Coordinates of all heavy atoms in Angstrom, one line a residue:
A100 N -41.1 -68.0 10.5 CA -41.9 -67.2 9.6 C -41.3 -65.8 9.5 O -41.8 -65.0 8.6 CB -43.3 -67.1 10.1
I101 N -40.4 -65.4 10.3 CA -39.8 -64.1 10.2 C -38.9 -64.0 9.0 O -38.2 -64.9 8.6 CB -38.9 -63.8 11.5 CG1 -39.9 -63.9 12.8 CG2 -38.2 -62.5 11.4 CD1 -39.1 -63.8 14.1
E102 N -38.9 -62.8 8.3 CA -38.2 -62.7 7.1 C -36.7 -62.7 7.4 O -36.2 -62.4 8.5 CB -38.5 -61.3 6.5 CG -40.0 -61.3 6.0 CD -40.3 -59.9 5.4 OE1 -39.5 -59.1 5.4 OE2 -41.5 -59.8 5.0
M103 N -35.9 -63.1 6.3 CA -34.5 -63.2 6.4 C -33.8 -61.9 6.8 O -34.3 -60.8 6.4 CB -33.9 -63.7 5.1 CG -34.2 -65.1 4.7 SD -33.2 -65.6 3.2 CE -33.8 -64.4 2.0
E104 N -32.7 -62.0 7.6 CA -32.0 -60.8 8.0 C -30.8 -60.6 7.1 O -30.3 -61.6 6.4 CB -31.5 -61.0 9.4 CG -32.5 -60.9 10.5 CD -31.8 -60.8 11.9 OE1 -31.4 -59.7 12.3 OE2 -31.7 -61.9 12.5
D105 N -30.3 -59.4 7.1 CA -29.1 -59.1 6.3 C -28.1 -58.5 7.2 O -28.4 -57.9 8.3 CB -29.4 -58.1 5.2 CG -30.3 -58.8 4.1 OD1 -29.7 -59.5 3.2 OD2 -31.5 -58.5 4.1
I106 N -26.8 -58.6 6.8 CA -25.7 -57.9 7.5 C -25.9 -56.4 7.4 O -26.2 -55.8 6.3 CB -24.4 -58.3 6.9 CG1 -24.1 -59.8 7.3 CG2 -23.3 -57.5 7.5 CD1 -23.8 -60.1 8.7
I107 N -25.7 -55.7 8.5 CA -25.8 -54.2 8.5 C -24.4 -53.7 8.3 O -23.5 -54.0 9.1 CB -26.4 -53.7 9.9 CG1 -27.8 -54.3 10.1 CG2 -26.4 -52.2 9.9 CD1 -28.8 -53.9 9.1
I108 N -24.2 -52.9 7.2 CA -22.9 -52.5 6.8 C -22.6 -51.1 7.4 O -21.4 -50.8 7.6 CB -22.9 -52.4 5.2 CG1 -23.3 -53.7 4.6 CG2 -21.5 -51.9 4.8 CD1 -22.3 -54.9 4.9
S109 N -23.6 -50.3 7.8 CA -23.3 -49.0 8.2 C -22.7 -48.9 9.6 O -22.2 -47.8 10.0 CB -24.6 -48.1 8.1 OG -25.6 -48.7 8.9
T110 N -22.8 -50.0 10.4 CA -22.2 -50.0 11.7 C -20.9 -50.7 11.7 O -20.6 -51.5 10.8 CB -23.2 -50.7 12.7 OG1 -23.5 -52.0 12.2 CG2 -24.4 -49.9 12.9
P111 N -20.0 -50.4 12.6 CA -18.6 -50.9 12.4 C -18.3 -52.4 12.5 O -17.4 -52.8 11.9 CB -17.8 -50.2 13.6 CG -18.9 -49.9 14.6 CD -20.2 -49.6 13.8
F112 N -19.2 -53.1 13.2 CA -18.9 -54.5 13.4 C -19.6 -55.4 12.4 O -19.4 -56.7 12.5 CB -19.2 -54.9 14.8 CG -18.3 -54.2 15.8 CD1 -18.8 -53.1 16.5 CD2 -17.0 -54.6 16.0 CE1 -18.0 -52.4 17.4 CE2 -16.2 -53.9 16.9 CZ -16.7 -52.8 17.6
H113 N -20.4 -54.9 11.5 CA -21.1 -55.7 10.4 C -21.8 -56.9 11.0 O -21.5 -58.0 10.6 CB -20.0 -56.1 9.4 CG -19.5 -54.9 8.6 ND1 -18.6 -55.0 7.6 CD2 -19.6 -53.5 8.8 CE1 -18.2 -53.8 7.1 NE2 -18.9 -52.9 7.9
K114 N -22.8 -56.7 11.8 CA -23.5 -57.7 12.4 C -24.9 -57.8 11.8 O -25.4 -56.8 11.1 CB -23.6 -57.6 13.9 CG -22.2 -57.6 14.6 CD -22.4 -57.4 16.1 CE -21.0 -57.5 16.8 NZ -20.4 -58.8 16.7
L115 N -25.7 -58.9 12.1 CA -27.1 -58.9 11.8 C -27.8 -57.9 12.7 O -27.3 -57.6 13.8 CB -27.6 -60.3 12.1 CG -27.1 -61.5 11.2 CD1 -27.7 -62.8 11.7 CD2 -27.5 -61.3 9.7
Q116 N -28.9 -57.4 12.3 CA -29.6 -56.4 13.1 C -30.0 -57.0 14.5 O -29.9 -56.3 15.5 CB -30.9 -55.9 12.4 CG -31.7 -54.9 13.2 CD -30.8 -53.7 13.7 OE1 -30.2 -53.1 12.9 NE2 -30.8 -53.5 15.0
S117 N -30.3 -58.3 14.5 CA -30.7 -58.9 15.8 C -29.5 -58.9 16.8 O -29.6 -59.1 18.0 CB -31.1 -60.3 15.6 OG -30.2 -61.1 14.9
E118 N -28.2 -58.8 16.3 CA -27.0 -58.8 17.1 C -26.5 -57.4 17.4 O -25.7 -57.2 18.2 CB -25.9 -59.6 16.4 CG -26.3 -61.0 16.1 CD -25.3 -61.6 15.2 OE1 -24.6 -60.9 14.4 OE2 -25.1 -62.9 15.3
N119 N -27.1 -56.4 16.7 CA -26.6 -55.0 16.8 C -27.0 -54.4 18.1 O -28.2 -54.5 18.6 CB -27.1 -54.1 15.7 CG -26.1 -53.9 14.6 OD1 -24.9 -54.1 14.9 ND2 -26.4 -53.4 13.5
V120 N -26.1 -53.6 18.7 CA -26.5 -52.8 19.9 C -27.3 -51.5 19.4 O -28.2 -51.1 20.1 CB -25.2 -52.4 20.7 CG1 -25.6 -51.4 21.8 CG2 -24.6 -53.6 21.3
M121 N -26.9 -51.0 18.3 CA -27.6 -49.8 17.8 C -28.7 -50.2 16.8 O -28.5 -51.1 16.0 CB -26.5 -48.9 17.0 CG -27.1 -47.6 16.5 SD -25.8 -46.7 15.5 CE -24.6 -46.4 16.8
K122 N -29.8 -49.6 16.9 CA -31.0 -49.9 16.1 C -30.7 -49.2 14.7 O -30.5 -48.0 14.6 CB -32.3 -49.4 16.7 CG -33.5 -49.5 15.8 CD -33.9 -51.0 15.7 CE -35.2 -51.1 14.9 NZ -35.6 -52.5 14.7
V123 N -30.8 -50.0 13.7 CA -30.6 -49.6 12.3 C -31.8 -50.0 11.4 O -32.2 -51.2 11.5 CB -29.3 -50.0 11.7 CG1 -29.1 -49.5 10.3 CG2 -28.1 -49.6 12.5
E124 N -32.4 -49.1 10.7 CA -33.5 -49.5 9.8 C -32.9 -49.9 8.4 O -32.0 -49.1 7.9 CB -34.5 -48.4 9.6 CG -35.1 -47.9 10.9 CD -36.1 -48.8 11.5 OE1 -36.5 -49.8 10.8 OE2 -36.6 -48.6 12.6
R125 N -33.3 -51.0 7.8 CA -32.8 -51.4 6.5 C -34.0 -51.7 5.6 O -35.0 -52.3 6.0 CB -31.9 -52.6 6.7 CG -31.2 -53.0 5.4 CD -30.5 -54.3 5.5 NE -29.8 -54.7 4.3 CZ -30.3 -55.3 3.2 NH1 -31.6 -55.5 3.2 NH2 -29.6 -55.5 2.2
A126 N -33.8 -51.3 4.3 CA -34.9 -51.5 3.3 C -34.2 -51.8 2.0 O -33.3 -51.1 1.6 CB -35.9 -50.4 3.2
A127 N -34.7 -52.8 1.3 CA -34.2 -53.1 -0.1 C -34.8 -52.1 -1.0 O -36.1 -51.8 -1.0 CB -34.6 -54.5 -0.5
V128 N -34.0 -51.5 -1.9 CA -34.5 -50.6 -2.9 C -35.5 -51.2 -3.8 O -36.5 -50.5 -4.2 CB -33.3 -50.0 -3.7 CG1 -33.8 -49.2 -4.9 CG2 -32.4 -49.1 -2.8
E129 N -35.4 -52.5 -4.1 CA -36.4 -53.2 -4.9 C -37.8 -53.1 -4.3 O -38.8 -52.9 -5.0 CB -35.9 -54.6 -5.1 CG -36.8 -55.4 -6.1 CD -36.3 -56.8 -6.2 OE1 -35.6 -57.4 -5.3 OE2 -36.6 -57.4 -7.3

Side-chain angles (χ1 to χ4, degrees):
I101 299 173
E102 297 179 358
M103 291 189 299
E104 287 190 85
D105 290 281
I106 291 289
I107 300 298
I108 305 299
S109 56
T110 53
F112 296 99
H113 293 185
K114 298 179 180 296
L115 298 173
Q116 179 52 53
S117 58
E118 302 170 329
N119 255 347
V120 172
M121 182 183 297
K122 177 69 173 177
V123 179
E124 303 286 352
R125 185 186 186 279
V128 169
E129 184 179 25

